[in-house]
Each structure stands twice: as structure tokens, then as C-alpha cells.
Amino acid sequence: RKEVEQDPGPFNVPEGATVAFNCTYSNSASQSFFWYRQDCRKEPKLLMSVYSSGNEDGRFTAQLNRASQYISLLIRDSKLSDSATYLCVVPLDAGNNRKLIWGLGTSLAVNP
Amino acid sequence: EAQVTQNPRYLITVTGKKLTVTCSQNMNHEYMSWYRQDPGLGLRQIYYSMNVEVTDKGDVPEGYKVSRKEKRNFPLILESPSPNQTSLYFCASSLSNAGAGNIQYFGAGTRLSVL
């Protein structure tokens, strides 16, 4: 199993739709997780952190399932501006460095 | 304004011509790193630094050098660039490398083409 795996998409959804992405991870010891958003050719920006079972911020909800080792991102009432690539990030302890393992991203296109 | 600043944003160069990409952050962050992003390969860490004068290799360090003489600056040096180093480069900083401090703040990116 890859350290972090995401469905690359693309997900094409109409405005107003609800869409969910999953991210699976292999290291059962990972404690915290992140979702970043990356617009085309731009830098990634933090969308949400997930430290316990989940997190909610407006239209965005992240949920963590430790037993099955996946985190999900749910976007409700999709807007055109939500079109982007969503990157799942899982910290992994490696010696004295907590490195971040980045998923390849899930591409979302919200259509009018 | 809190930010990570990279320069240049775009660079076209030729094989073997040494270049430096600068990175500066104004958030007093301890942890800084360099990534490259390539289609199908995602973000890969090149080098990281946990503090001044402390640097270490990431996943793809070959062909790159870094230095951390001051807390705010973390330049990336390509001594002899080759075409396989054509990529989109990001500098990132974070308060630390643990827990909530691990949240990464990225520069706007440097698009490098090596001919």
C-alpha cells in the first residue's frame, strides 16, 4: 500500500453539489492529518487540519477513520471557486524528522 | 504581512550554469524546506532545515545544495543544473515540525526550465 493514496479524479460536479474525496494512509501511528488546496500552478495552502475524529469549517468537513486508515473531505454546496486540486498530507516520523507525506491530489472541477 | 518569498518566480537557464533560488520568511519559523513538484510525482522534499546551521537531505537531494545561515533565509543552490531538474519548486516554512506547528506556509513557487 502506498504511504498516502488519493483518487486523482477529476471530479466534475455542478454548482451546489456535495462531493467527497477519500485519502488512505498506510502508517497506523500517524496522529494528525492535513488537507491542502492547490490552484493550478500556484502554491498549496492549508484548508483543514484533522487531529481527532474530524473537523468542520463552514461547507468543508474532514473526517478521520483510524480503523480503516482513511481521511475524507466533504464539500457541501460546491462553488465555482472550489475548483482546485486537494492534497492530503500525512506526517510520518522518520528518525528525528517528522516528514510530511503528500498525496498526489484529487482534482475537482465545479461547473456552472 | 506574514509570507514566504521566493525569487525568481520564473527562470530559464542552460545546463551547467550555477543558479540560486532565494527563499525568505518573516514569521520567525524554525523549520524550512524545499520541494519540487512534477506531474504524476507530487510534492517531493529536496532538503529541510530544523534551525540555523541545521540542514538535512529530504527524498530527492541529488544535484542540490542548501544553506541556513540565518533563520529567515534558506536558499536553494543548483551547482550544475541539468534538464531533469526542470520543475516547479516551492519553499515552505513552519513553526516547527510537530503537531499544529507543522502547518506549512509556501512561497509562490519558482518555475525552472533547464535547457
Side-chain angles (χ1 to χ4, degrees), chain A residues 93-110:
Chain A
D93 284 324
N96 64 350
N97 178 38
R98 176 164 293 175
K99 64 185 288 186
L100 297 175
I101 309 299
W102 294 78
L104 296 185
T106 297
S107 176
L108 171 66
V110 180

Side-chain angles (χ1 to χ4, degrees), chain A residues 2 32 34 36 38 40-46 49 51 85 87 89 91-105, chain B residues 9 31 35 37 40-45 48 50 56-59 88 90 97-109 111:
Chain A
K2 285 185 181 176
S32 56
F34 305 93
Y36 281 73
Q38 185 175 25
C40 188
R41 297 172 183 262
K42 296 203 170 174
E43 73 274 24
K45 291 183 179 177
L46 180 72
S49 307
Y51 297 111
T85 296
L87 304 171
V89 187
L92 175 70
D93 284 324
N96 64 350
N97 178 38
R98 176 164 293 175
K99 64 185 288 186
L100 297 175
I101 309 299
W102 294 78
L104 296 185
Chain B
R9 294 288 315 281
Y31 193 88
Y35 292 90
Q37 187 174 35
L41 297 176
L43 277 162
R44 294 180 293 167
Q45 191 181 51
Y48 65 93
M50 292 208 211
D56 210 341
K57 296 176 181 178
D59 296 316
L88 177 58
F90 289 106
N97 73 334
N102 211 350
I103 294 170
Q104 303 290 299
Y105 296 83
F106 284 85
R111 190 165 291 278

Side-chain angles (χ1 to χ4, degrees), chain A residues 16-21 37 47 59-61 73-79 82 86 108 110:
Chain A
T18 296
V19 62
F21 316 133
R37 171 200 167 120
L47 179 66
R59 298 182 293 109
F60 298 85
T61 301
L73 179 66
L74 180 78
I75 305 175
R76 289 182 295 276
D77 188 23
S78 300
K79 311 290 184 194
D82 293 333
Y86 291 84
L108 171 66
V110 180

Side-chain angles (χ1 to χ4, degrees), chain A residues 3 5 8 13 15 26 34 39 42 46-47 55 64 78 84 96 104 109 111-112:
Chain A
E3 289 178 306
E5 203 154 7
V13 302
E15 266 187 295
S26 60
F34 305 93
D39 294 301
K42 296 203 170 174
L46 180 72
L47 179 66
N55 194 4
L64 169 62
S78 300
N96 64 350
L104 296 185
N111 305 305

